[in-house]
Amino acid sequence: MKNEHQVVKKDIFVFKYRISHEIDRRLDEDDPNLLNHSVVAGNGGGARVRTSSCSKEESNLNFNASNLSRILTLSSPRLQLPFMATSEIKKIQIQRDDTTFDAYVVGKENAPGIVVLQEWWGVDFEIKNHAIKISKLEPGYKALIPDLYRGKVGLDAAEAQHLMDGLDWQGAVKDIQASVNWLKANGSQKVGVTGYCMGGALAIASSVLVPEVDAVVAFYGVPPPELADPTNTKASIQAHFGELDSITGFSDVKAAKGLEEKLKASGKPFEVHLYPGVAHAFMNTSPEGIERRKGMGMNDDNEAAAELAWSRFQSWMSCYLSA
């Protein structure tokens, strides 16, 4: 009975999530039948840090995609945002090479830009709410989410794993570069890149492979060496990891320390923060994010760590993206 109850509970959560995604999709299409639909979305520390020119803190601080299927979840900020908040986001199209992809933009015109990279789930209402939060951080930003999966969204771990396994990582870097250039061509003098899990790894890769990037903040993800070597970063990098993260070689403590050593050799400003008592995806403190994390075996709940990380994020981007 216990196993049956767990299966039913999981199925109900996946069903609720599928409904949520369908509402969000139809909102993107301005469906008039969705007026009055709403949901609450929500945003949790110590750390070890390497000093940078923007910080007074000091510190001691082989990617395998299949490892991620064990303990990943959605990223979303601590905001009481209804689904209708996604109406703040404008859907655009960006062209690069011989392809065109959708992207989502929110924030002040002519503000510094930040490209926001999805987790393995794809572009859903969680990452959109995340971009909204970033856009409202002082002094104000224009946030842009490129749709790396071309409209596909993983609604459970198996689907998300399949989508990430099929991702053209080099192509994703080209999408990031096109997104950065779009922001710079549309009023943003400087542009940063941030990402979570898969997106965090891509954010660090962009610091190496996209010379137009001015700053990076990456959350719990390190790129595979065949994609990019952080030693060769061209931008300042701030990175955040949970000390209980168990995704070996990708976002565990060993991966964080390995990243730190490479960044020491880069000669560029950097910080690597480790947060005690939290596991992978600790920024996911919305009710939905917490429920999903618990369903994947992550029972840590430390909102203070997420708030501290947001504060550091804001300080880093404010420093390196100021005109």
Side-chain angles (χ1 to χ4, degrees):
M1 287 297 294
K2 181 178 179 181
N3 289 338
E4 290 178 3
H5 174 72
Q6 290 174 338
V7 170
V8 170
K9 184 177 179 181
K10 178 182 178 182
D11 288 345
I12 290 173
F13 179 76
V14 170
F15 176 68
K16 286 164 59 183
Y17 185 70
R18 289 179 184 271
I19 292 174
S20 297
H21 174 64
E22 176 62 16
I23 292 173
D24 190 52
R25 181 190 65 77
R26 291 167 64 187
L27 278 167
D28 284 338
E29 298 170 359
D30 297 323
D31 191 326
N33 296 319
L34 287 182
L35 293 177
N36 301 322
H37 282 280
S38 64
V39 71
V40 175
N43 187 23
R48 291 198 282 258
V49 190
R50 179 70 181 179
T51 57
S52 77
S53 60
C54 284
S55 172
K56 294 182 179 179
E57 295 185 271
E58 296 191 359
S59 146
N60 308 311
L61 217 99
N62 324 335
F63 174 67
N64 183 344
S66 63
N67 288 338
L68 301 183
S69 62
R70 295 185 297 112
I71 47 174
L72 297 181
T73 184
L74 293 159
S75 266
S76 65
R78 177 55 120 186
L79 286 179
Q80 299 300 313
L81 291 174
F83 279 120
M84 291 303 292
T86 60
S87 64
E88 299 179 43
I89 295 180
K90 179 174 67 174
K91 186 176 181 179
I92 63 169
Q93 288 193 321
I94 297 176
Q95 186 162 356
R96 58 103 172 154
D97 300 330
D98 58 350
T99 188
T100 300
F101 60 92
D102 291 336
Y104 301 85
V105 183
V106 60
K108 296 196 314 183
E109 292 300 319
N110 301 317
I114 298 179
V115 176
V116 183
L117 302 176
Q118 66 198 53
E119 292 184 297
W120 70 339
W121 306 102
V123 178
D124 60 9
F125 72 90
E126 292 273 8
I127 197 67
K128 291 177 184 177
N129 281 347
H130 209 120
I132 291 171
K133 178 179 178 70
I134 289 170
S135 75
K136 294 180 178 179
L137 295 174
E138 291 294 334
Y141 297 96
K142 182 188 287 187
L144 184 152
I145 311 167
D147 189 347
L148 305 180
Y149 286 166
R150 303 298 191 265
K152 297 178 181 178
V153 176
L155 302 179
D156 57 36
E159 289 180 5
Q161 180 69 45
H162 177 73
L163 288 170
M164 188 179 69
D165 287 346
L167 179 67
D168 173 4
W169 286 62
Q170 292 285 357
V173 171
K174 291 181 180 180
D175 288 352
I176 297 166
Q177 184 169 32
S179 299
V180 170
N181 288 335
W182 187 94
L183 285 166
K184 291 198 171 185
N186 287 271
S188 298
Q189 293 186 31
K190 291 189 176 183
V191 176
V193 178
T194 190
Y196 308 83
C197 184
M198 181 187 84
L202 282 167
I204 293 173
S206 75
S207 76
V208 177
L209 302 172
V210 182
E212 298 88 348
V213 173
D214 295 299
V216 163
V217 177
F219 291 88
Y220 28 81
V222 174
E226 60 269 23
L227 178 65
D229 180 355
T231 303
N232 299 319
T233 179
K234 300 174 181 66
S236 59
I237 295 178
Q238 183 186 77
H240 304 263
F241 299 88
E243 286 189 345
L244 301 183
D245 197 320
S246 58
I247 304 180
T248 304
F250 180 75
S251 53
D252 61 347
V253 171
K254 184 177 180 179
K257 291 183 176 180
L259 175 64
E260 182 186 37
E261 292 306 310
K262 289 181 178 295
L263 294 179
K264 284 179 182 177
S266 74
K268 294 292 184 180
F270 74 91
E271 294 178 357
V272 174
H273 297 271
L274 287 169
Y275 297 80
V278 294
H280 192 78
F282 66 87
M283 297 296 285
N284 303 340
T285 59
S286 71
E288 296 81 7
I290 290 172
E291 184 174 356
R292 175 166 288 221
R293 291 182 85 244
K294 288 182 177 179
M296 302 179 84
M298 292 176 281
N299 296 310
D300 57 287
D301 183 8
N302 188 342
E303 186 173 338
E307 293 295 340
L308 179 58
W310 278 120
S311 175
R312 288 169 168 158
F313 174 102
Q314 181 176 358
S315 296
W316 193 260
M317 290 300 196
S318 177
C319 174
Y320 290 102
L321 300 186
S322 59

